[in-house]
C-alpha cells in the first residue's frame, strides 16, 4: 500500500500543473442544480409580482382608453358647437341689413380658427393629464418633473413673451370677431384689406397692392371700415343769397332719382338726406348731404352724388361757388406798368424834395 501511494505521489508531481491564466479564463459550467435553483427563484418572483404588474398594466390601459374616448368626445362636441354657431348667426341690426352683413367665407375661416384652437387646447389638457397619471401609476415622483416644467415654462415665457403676446392677441381677435377676411381695416401701423387672419400674424393688402404682415401683439387699436354701414357725405357750397328751398328741393330730387336706379339702390341703405346748413359765410353757404351706404362703398356713392348734383344745379341755374377763383386771362393791350408803384419824388435830383433834403454846404465852399 505504501508503494502504491508513493507511486501516485510521484506521478502527480511529474504531471504539468495548469497555469493561473488558464484557471482564470475557464468558465465554470453551472450545474443542473444551479439552473434549477435559478428557475425556481424566477418563477417564485413572477408568482409573487405578477398580480402587481397586471394591475399596473390594466390601470395604464384604462387611463389611455378613457383619455382617448374623452378626447374624441370633446373634439366632436367642439365641432358640433362651431357648426351650430355657423348655422345660427344673428343679424347685426336685424332685418335685411343684418342679412347682408353675413360673410360666408369670413364666418367659415373664423369658425375653423376657433375650432382648431379649442381642439388643440382640449387635446393638450386631456393627453397631458393622462401622461401624468400614467407616470404616477409607476410610482414615479412627479414633484421634480413638475418643478422643472414650471421653471422651463417661466424661462420660455420670458424668452418668447412676444410670441405668446401675439398668439393670445390673435385668439381674442378671432373670438371677439374684430375683423375677418375681406374687411377693410386701419390697424394703425398699416391699413388695407384683410386677406388672411392668423393666430400670430394678420396679412393686409394695401391700396397700392402691397402686402403688410402685422403682428397681432403690435396692434393697439383696430378701425374696421367694413362692419355695420358707412356714411357718404357731400358738402355743396352755394351763394349766400341763393334760395335755400330751391336748393333743398333740387338735392332731394337728385337723391330720390339716384335711389331708384341700379346699382345705387343696392349700395344705398337709407334715403339721401339734406341735413341743412353746415356753415354760413359772408359770401357763401355750405349745405350738407348725407346717406347711409354699404360698407366700403361710401367713396363710390359720394363721387356719383357729386356728379348728379353738379348736373342738376346746372339745369336749375344754381351756381356752385367756393374754392380759389380762376386767374384772369392775360390781356396783351394792358399797360405793363399798371401794377408798378409810382416813382418817388426823391428819385429826381432837381425836384424840390431832393433840394430840401440836400445838406447845406459850408460858407466859402462853392456848391
Amino acid at each position: 500500500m505504501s508503494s502504491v501511494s508513493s507511486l501516485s505521489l510521484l506521478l502527480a508531481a511529474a504531471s504539468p500543473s495548469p497555469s493561473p491564466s488558464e484557471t482564470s479564463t475557464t468558465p465554470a459550467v453551472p450545474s443542473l442544480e444551479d439552473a434549477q435553483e435559478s428557475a425556481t427563484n424566477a418563477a417564485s418572483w413572477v408568482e409573487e409580482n405578477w398580480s402587481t404588474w397586471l394591475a399596473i398594466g390594466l390601470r395604464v390601459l384604462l387611463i389611455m382608453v378613457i383619455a382617448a374616448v374623452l378626447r374624441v368626445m370633446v373634439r366632436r362636441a367642439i365641432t358640433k358647437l362651431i357648426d351650430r354657431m355657423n348655422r345660427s348667426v344673428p343679424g347685426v341690426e336685424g332685418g335685411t341689413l343684418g342679412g347682408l352683413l353675413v360673410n360666408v367665407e369670413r364666418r367659415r375661416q373664423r369658425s375653423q380658427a376657433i375650432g382648431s384652437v379649442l381642439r388643440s387646447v382640449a387635446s393638450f389638457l386631456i393627453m397631458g393629464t393622462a401622461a401624468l397619471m400614467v407616470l404616477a401609476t409607476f410610482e414615479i415622483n412627479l414633484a421634480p418633473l413638475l418643478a422643472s416644467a414650471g421653471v422651463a415654462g417661466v424661462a420660455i415665457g420670458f424668452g418668447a413673451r412676444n410670441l405668446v403676446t401675439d398668439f393670445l392677441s390673435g385668439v381674442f381677435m378671432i373670438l371677439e370677431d374684430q375683423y375677418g377676411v375681406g374687411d377693410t381695416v386701419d390697424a394703425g401701423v398699416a391699413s388695407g384689406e384683410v386677406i388672411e387672419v392668423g393666430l400670430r400674424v394678420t396679412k393686409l393688402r394695401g391700396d397700392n397692392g402691397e402686402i403688410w404682415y402685422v403682428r397681432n401683439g403690435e396692434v393697439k387699436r383696430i378701425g374696421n371700415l367694413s362692419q355695420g354701414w358707412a356714411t357718404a357725405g357731400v358738402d355743396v357750397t352755394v351763394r349766400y343769397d341763393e334760395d335755400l328751398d330751391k336748393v333743398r328741393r333740387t338735392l332731394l330730387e337728385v337723391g330720390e332719382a339716384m335711389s331708384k336706379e341700379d346699382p345705387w339702390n343696392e349700395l344705398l341703405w337709407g334715403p339721401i338726406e339734406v341735413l341743412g346748413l353746415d356753415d354760413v359765410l359772408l359770401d357763401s353757404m355750405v349745405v350738407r348731404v348725407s346717406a347711409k351706404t354699404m360698407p366700403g362703398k361710401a367713396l363710390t356713392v359720394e363721387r356719383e352724388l357729386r356728379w348728379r348734383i353738379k348736373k342738376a344745379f346746372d339745369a336749375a341755374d344754381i351756381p356752385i361757388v367756393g374754392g380759389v377763383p380762376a386767374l384772369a386771362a392775360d390781356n396783351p393791350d394792358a399797360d405793363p406798368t399798371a401794377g408798378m408803384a409810382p416813382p418817388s419824388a426823391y428819385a429826381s435830383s432837381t425836384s424840390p424834395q431832393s433840394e430840401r433834403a440836400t445838406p447845406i454846404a459850408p460858407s466859402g465852399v462853392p456848391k
Side-chain angles (χ1 to χ4, degrees):
M1 292 294 296
S2 59
S3 61
V4 174
S5 8
S6 302
L7 180 61
S8 60
L9 291 174
L10 292 175
L11 292 174
S15 61
S17 61
S19 62
S21 59
E22 291 178 357
T23 56
S24 60
T25 56
T26 303
V29 179
S31 62
L32 181 60
E33 290 79 4
D34 295 338
Q36 290 179 352
E37 184 179 359
S38 300
T40 303
N41 294 335
S44 61
W45 183 84
V46 171
E47 184 178 0
E48 292 175 359
N49 297 283
W50 72 271
S51 58
T52 304
W53 287 103
L54 181 60
I56 293 175
L58 291 177
R59 192 178 302 173
V60 171
L61 181 61
L62 182 62
I63 291 173
M64 299 305 297
V65 170
I66 293 177
V69 173
L70 184 61
R71 178 174 176 270
V72 172
M73 293 176 60
V74 171
R75 290 173 67 91
R76 287 185 178 179
I78 292 173
T79 302
K80 290 183 179 180
L81 177 62
I82 297 300
D83 294 340
R84 185 176 300 177
M85 290 173 57
N86 289 339
R87 289 195 300 266
S88 60
V89 176
V92 175
E93 295 181 358
T96 307
L97 179 59
L100 290 176
L101 292 177
V102 176
N103 190 321
V104 179
E105 179 65 19
R106 168 181 173 178
R107 193 169 65 243
R108 184 186 65 82
Q109 291 198 3
R110 175 171 172 259
S111 62
Q112 286 183 355
I114 295 175
S116 177
V117 172
L118 293 179
R119 284 190 291 267
S120 300
V121 172
S123 299
F124 177 77
L125 292 177
I126 294 174
M127 301 310 295
T129 305
L132 293 178
M133 293 177 66
V134 169
L135 294 178
T137 303
F138 288 101
E139 298 182 356
I140 297 177
N141 189 10
L142 300 180
L145 180 62
L146 295 178
S148 302
V151 174
V154 172
I156 293 175
F158 277 108
R161 57 184 181 276
N162 292 332
L163 181 62
V164 175
T165 302
D166 297 340
F167 181 81
L168 294 179
S169 300
V171 170
F172 282 105
M173 285 180 180
I174 294 175
L175 292 177
E176 296 172 359
D177 193 19
Q178 297 181 7
Y179 54 84
V181 176
D183 288 351
T184 301
V185 301
D186 181 3
V189 294
S191 61
E193 181 182 356
V194 180
I195 60 177
E196 184 178 341
V197 179
L199 294 177
R200 193 183 68 87
V201 175
T202 297
K203 294 173 64 175
L204 304 177
R205 184 176 296 278
D207 297 334
N208 298 325
E210 69 276 10
I211 296 180
W212 298 96
Y213 294 86
V214 181
R215 288 172 44 196
N216 296 329
E218 296 295 328
V219 178
K220 303 302 179 183
R221 52 93 174 168
I222 286 288
N224 195 324
L225 307 180
S226 300
Q227 287 184 351
W229 40 265
T231 302
V234 176
D235 293 332
V236 183
T237 306
V238 296
R239 295 181 302 186
Y240 73 97
D241 57 350
E242 196 66 50
D243 186 2
L244 290 178
D245 294 333
K246 181 180 180 181
V247 172
R248 182 183 181 88
R249 184 169 57 253
T250 305
L251 292 175
L252 290 176
E253 291 175 356
V254 170
E256 184 178 0
M258 183 176 175
S259 61
K260 294 180 180 179
E261 298 180 5
D262 292 331
W264 311 111
N265 54 357
E266 296 181 359
L267 301 182
L268 290 171
W269 285 4
I272 298 178
E273 301 177 349
V274 180
L275 301 181
L277 287 176
D278 195 61
D279 200 0
V280 178
L281 305 176
L282 294 177
D283 56 350
S284 62
M285 298 179 296
V286 180
V287 182
R288 181 75 173 178
V289 182
S290 177
K292 186 181 294 185
T293 69
M294 182 182 294
K297 301 298 181 181
L299 186 59
T300 304
V301 173
E302 289 177 359
R303 290 170 177 170
E304 180 66 19
L305 194 57
R306 291 191 187 97
W307 182 283
R308 292 172 179 261
I309 290 175
K310 177 62 172 63
K311 294 176 63 176
F313 275 27
D314 291 343
D317 195 18
I318 301 177
I320 298 177
V321 299
V324 181
L327 297 177
D330 295 335
N331 187 2
D333 299 332
D335 186 7
T337 62
M340 299 175 59
S344 174
Y346 294 96
S348 176
S349 60
T350 59
S351 64
Q353 291 83 356
S354 297
E355 290 181 355
R356 292 190 184 95
T358 301
I360 300 175
S363 59
V365 178
K367 294 184 179 180

